[in-house]
Amino acid sequence: MAEQVAVLVTEATESDVCFVHVIDDARRCLVLMGATPPFTSLSGTVELALGQGVAGWVALHAKPAVVPDKWKDERYFYIPELRGEEYESLVSVPLLGRGQHVVGVINVHSRKPRRYGNHDVALLSHVGSLLAHTIENARLYEQLALREQMLEQFAARTVEAQEIERRHLAGEIHDGISQPLISLWYHLQAAEAFAQDPAVVAHELGKAKDLTGAALDEARRAIAGLRPSTLDDLGLGPSLESLAHTVAGPEVEVDIGAARLPAHAEVALYRIAQEALQNVMKHAGASRVSLRLSTDHGSVRLVVEDDGRGFQPAEAGRNRNGDPAYGLVGMRERAELVGARLQITSTPGSGTKVLVEMPAALA
Ligand SMILES: Nc1ncnc2c1ncn2[C@@H]1O[C@H](COP(=O)(O)OP(=O)(O)OP(=O)(O)O)[C@@H](O)[C@H]1O
Ligand SMILES: [Mg+2]
């Protein structure tokens, strides 16, 4: 579509060539997404930093730029593939989407020197805003489709995890609670059978009391493992701090700012931090790890960063036993489900950074 718009706009403004650059928000740069011939095949291959070149300036300032002689304009930046030497003048207009948010930039160039007028700027702004809305809708659709897919995977994984959890719980109840209860029953029975001998009764009751205490401890342990109850009592920040205390091995740096989120989002961030810290302990061989929670313009960021051995995130699909590893996948799913973005940056030899960012609207 960007390409078709480029062709139409070139004709309508009697220009020679048109480029549509779209902002890649994650990488903070402009990417060429549509052009008129002979540049159509360059789509996706040419990038400009925000602020770089006339298009970069327009993206940064959200204002049009009319450039009658680009060689005299210090904003101009020469990109060999786009053959700037063949064109003299240009006009560049931001693609403004919802809330006047800059989605990209549209440029038309002319071989002959000319000064583009208000009429051209108005036309480009109008077409640009239609294009911006289409791009935004396409992105929303893509995000929705991805979330839907995540949701399906999450549902499947939840059922699987539930089964594993049930088996685990059955084991805990069997070993930690049923076993002591059985012994308890024997001791009480013995006390009953020797009711006439106070020394035996006292001895058996003492044993029974110890066993009751042990069973109670086990029950508490099982319950604590099921739900991070500190979240309900203290909130996310203090819960993360107490999580940091459980880290064994590397030195832990904690920097937790105040942040309160909806309950389901707090659980997601807590579990992600928990898995990230567990990974640091299991795999990183790090000497330091830092756990940070901060708020920036209303959006919430959680960072777990270690100085350990690092890894290739793209290749980390299996754990040491060759079984599918669920830690990283689970972290991503949890983040996506609450509308947050998870980014794992790691290179072998230079540590790992796990970043979760929760947009202000959801935080
Ligand atoms: N902080 C880290 N430092 C170094 N390697 C890491 C780190 N985090 C993850 N990895 C690597 O990525 C792999 C995948 O991690 P993931 O959490 O998905 O699985 P796992 O920890 O091996 O198993 P699971 O989490 O399912 O018990 C790990 O096996 C490890 O090789
Ligand atoms: Mg793991």
Side-chain angles (χ1 to χ4, degrees):
M1 176 167 180
E3 197 176 309
Q4 285 165 2
V5 168
V7 172
L8 278 174
V9 157
T10 309
E11 281 172 18
T13 57
E14 296 176 345
S15 303
D16 296 299
V17 65
C18 171
F19 299 112
V20 178
H21 304 269
V22 176
I23 294 186
D24 180 333
D25 278 322
R27 292 168 47 234
R28 307 283 303 150
C29 68
L30 283 167
V31 183
L32 182 72
M33 286 309 256
T36 40
F39 301 103
T40 42
S41 62
L42 293 181
S43 205
T45 66
V46 177
E47 291 185 4
L48 273 171
L50 290 188
Q52 189 180 35
V54 177
W57 184 92
V58 167
L60 206 57
H61 294 84
K63 286 198 279 211
V66 175
V67 180
D69 180 352
K70 68 184 178 198
W71 307 112
K72 287 197 184 135
D73 195 304
E74 58 190 25
R75 291 170 298 191
Y76 179 68
F77 176 75
Y78 178 70
I79 301 174
E81 301 95 298
L82 302 185
R83 308 219 293 256
E85 62 277 10
E86 295 178 19
Y87 306 93
E88 286 300 314
S89 311
L90 74 135
V91 57
S92 177
V93 172
L95 306 176
L96 297 176
R98 285 178 196 89
Q100 299 299 91
H101 175 71
V102 183
V103 177
V105 173
I106 187 165
N107 282 5
V108 288
H109 297 248
S110 151
R111 288 183 201 281
K112 279 195 255 134
R114 73 182 261 199
R115 176 180 286 277
Y116 283 95
N118 291 342
H119 175 74
D120 298 307
V121 173
L123 175 89
L124 286 171
S125 302
H126 189 65
V127 174
S129 123
L130 293 175
L131 190 56
H133 282 84
T134 310
I135 293 169
E136 281 182 331
N137 285 342
R139 281 185 176 161
L140 277 178
Y141 178 82
E142 218 167 69
Q143 274 170 11
L144 264 173
L146 188 72
R147 253 180 115 170
E148 181 104 339
Q149 200 189 349
M150 287 284 186
L151 206 69
E152 274 168 25
Q153 285 174 2
F154 191 73
R157 188 95 17 95
T158 306
V159 174
E160 205 175 303
Q162 226 170 28
E163 274 313 305
I164 295 174
E165 197 58 38
R166 283 206 179 125
R167 253 177 277 141
H168 171 74
L169 258 186
E172 294 259 299
I173 294 172
H174 176 265
D175 301 345
I177 302 165
S178 302
Q179 295 286 13
L181 284 179
I182 292 169
S183 308
L184 177 66
W185 185 81
Y186 278 111
H187 287 293
L188 290 176
Q189 209 190 27
E192 191 184 35
F194 290 91
Q196 67 286 26
D197 185 342
V200 175
V201 171
H203 174 74
E204 295 299 336
L205 284 182
K207 289 261 183 203
K209 202 177 104 198
D210 291 348
L211 281 165
T212 315
L216 212 58
D217 284 347
E218 289 291 341
R220 283 206 195 99
R221 216 167 49 80
I223 291 165
L226 283 180
R227 182 174 166 75
S229 60
T230 52
L231 270 182
D232 294 331
D233 303 340
L234 309 170
L236 184 60
S239 299
L240 288 176
E241 296 204 15
S242 79
L243 187 64
H245 289 306
T246 66
V247 174
E251 191 182 315
V252 193
E253 260 170 58
V254 189
D255 183 1
I256 305 286
R260 283 244 66 165
L261 291 162
H264 69 289
E266 292 199 334
V267 174
L269 290 193
Y270 182 87
R271 291 293 187 208
I272 291 171
Q274 194 172 32
E275 172 59 22
L277 289 173
Q278 251 163 40
N279 278 348
V280 174
M281 285 189 274
K282 280 203 287 189
H283 311 295
S287 59
R288 279 166 163 275
V289 55
S290 75
L291 174 66
R292 304 193 293 272
L293 181 74
S294 58
T295 315
D296 180 21
H297 292 100
S299 71
V300 173
R301 293 173 130 229
L302 171 79
V303 178
V304 178
E305 191 168 12
D306 69 66
D307 65 353
R309 66 174 61 93
F311 68 110
Q312 291 279 10
E315 290 166 15
R318 307 236 149 225
N319 66 18
R320 279 183 194 149
N321 308 328
D323 299 324
Y326 288 127
L328 300 178
V329 177
M331 290 204 287
R332 191 169 297 285
E333 281 175 357
R334 279 186 193 278
E336 293 282 345
L337 267 182
V338 297
R341 192 171 65 91
L342 180 104
Q343 195 185 337
I344 297 173
T345 328
S346 185
T347 350
S350 65
T352 301
K353 179 174 171 183
V354 175
L355 162 74
V356 193
E357 206 162 15
M358 185 99 178
L362 297 166

